[in-house]
Amino acid sequence: LRSNPSNNEEKEAQTQLTKSDELQRLHSQALSAYQQEDYKAAISLLDEILAVCVWDAELRELRAECYIKEGEPSKAISDLKAAAKLKSDNTEAFYKISRIYYQLGDHELSLSEVRECLKLDQDHKQCFSLYKQVKKLNKQIESAEEFIREGRYEDAINKYDSVMKTEPEVPVYATRAKERICHCLSKNQQATEAIKVCTEVLQLEPTNVNALKDRAEAYLLEDLYEE
């Protein structure tokens, strides 16, 4: 305005200034809502700001935190992936994405994302610790699946027992392991054990199709046709 005063430009500049003030006010409110753990309100305010400030990595990271607290991991991943692109060397974003995938039971994507973190900083303590855990788990699951393909069901069961010991804190891995053990027992014609383990899985996931099929096979072995 000072370098080139004109009516048109003054109007435009005043509009932008007003919008800037408004966004700063929304930003203060969003931070306040986040600190008060009102994550829904914070998300709503951040939505408004990010509609204008599309390229702000820190605001996306803040919204991702809110999504995590609200139990919406896929939306958090979307924001964190954008933040990883917008801010160079954003190891923290890759670490968080990897953690979310890991908690969701997607060990392969978790491994891929944590490797991106270590490419940026091979001495990153959190990423290296997570990398070791995910790599170990990934290797055990791959090994167990290889045994199943070879028909080595006892070996596969032992390997899936190891998976449950490697990750006792995240329930999804125990459920997946039991689902595969149920499959191995059924294939190995250990009907009584198969029915027991498959039933445990179905108590957690009543619509688990694989467990239903494997339990049905086990019931057939026991001549329990109605079941």
Side-chain angles (χ1 to χ4, degrees):
L1 269 175
R2 284 182 184 142
S3 66
N4 192 10
S6 77
N7 287 341
N8 282 349
E9 283 177 10
E10 184 169 355
K11 196 174 177 186
E12 172 65 14
Q14 290 298 344
T15 304
Q16 294 291 350
L17 271 173
T18 305
K19 189 182 273 188
S20 171
D21 290 342
E22 171 68 3
L23 289 172
Q24 285 179 319
R25 187 178 61 78
L26 291 173
H27 187 218
S28 298
Q29 288 178 344
L31 289 174
S32 174
Y34 177 76
Q35 282 154 5
Q36 289 166 22
E37 299 181 11
D38 187 353
Y39 301 115
K40 271 198 172 74
I43 289 167
S44 176
L45 291 158
L46 289 164
D47 286 348
E48 280 191 70
I49 306 167
L50 280 159
V52 182
C53 307
V54 184
W55 314 115
D56 194 311
E58 284 176 13
L59 289 177
R60 286 190 177 276
E61 286 174 11
L62 181 61
R63 190 168 67 176
E65 282 298 313
C66 295
Y67 281 138
I68 290 166
K69 301 284 190 189
E70 282 293 299
E72 297 196 69
S74 58
K75 288 183 178 177
I77 287 170
S78 174
D79 265 345
L80 287 167
K81 283 192 170 181
K85 287 195 180 89
L86 291 167
K87 199 159 79 181
S88 63
D89 296 346
N90 196 344
T91 51
E92 197 59 30
F94 284 116
Y95 172 71
K96 285 177 181 174
I97 295 166
S98 180
R99 286 275 329 153
I100 295 169
Y101 277 134
Y102 186 73
Q103 295 292 326
L104 291 173
D106 200 329
H107 51 95
E108 288 169 333
L109 279 175
S110 175
L111 190 59
S112 166
E113 294 294 333
V114 81
R115 278 181 175 141
E116 291 300 317
C117 172
L118 290 171
K119 276 184 201 170
L120 295 171
D121 178 5
Q122 60 189 24
D123 298 322
H124 194 290
K125 282 184 181 171
Q126 286 176 306
C127 283
F128 187 67
S129 173
L130 180 60
Y131 172 71
K132 284 197 297 185
Q133 174 72 1
V134 186
K135 192 182 178 191
K136 183 180 179 184
L137 194 74
N138 198 53
K139 198 171 180 185
Q140 287 175 333
I141 292 169
E142 282 180 352
S143 177
E145 289 302 311
E146 185 62 33
F147 286 143
I148 290 172
R149 285 191 289 274
E150 291 170 2
R152 294 166 60 186
Y153 299 116
E154 284 296 334
D155 289 332
I157 289 166
N158 290 335
K159 194 57 78 173
Y160 269 117
D161 279 333
S162 299
V163 167
M164 288 191 279
K165 290 189 183 88
T166 298
E167 185 42 86
E169 302 294 323
V170 184
V172 66
Y173 293 107
T175 307
R176 287 290 83 78
K178 283 182 181 176
E179 180 195 307
R180 298 307 277 156
I181 290 169
C182 138
H183 175 73
C184 293
L185 291 166
S186 182
K187 286 286 184 189
N188 217 27
Q189 304 204 331
Q190 294 167 259
T192 308
E193 275 298 298
I195 290 164
K196 178 174 168 285
V197 177
C198 295
T199 300
E200 283 178 28
V201 176
L202 288 161
Q203 281 167 349
L204 296 165
E205 296 180 349
T207 56
N208 187 312
V209 174
N210 294 325
L212 286 166
K213 288 195 294 183
D214 288 322
R215 190 170 69 173
E217 292 292 337
Y219 281 141
L220 285 174
L221 292 169
E222 294 286 277
D223 299 333
L224 296 167
Y225 302 119
E226 284 296 324
E227 283 86 339

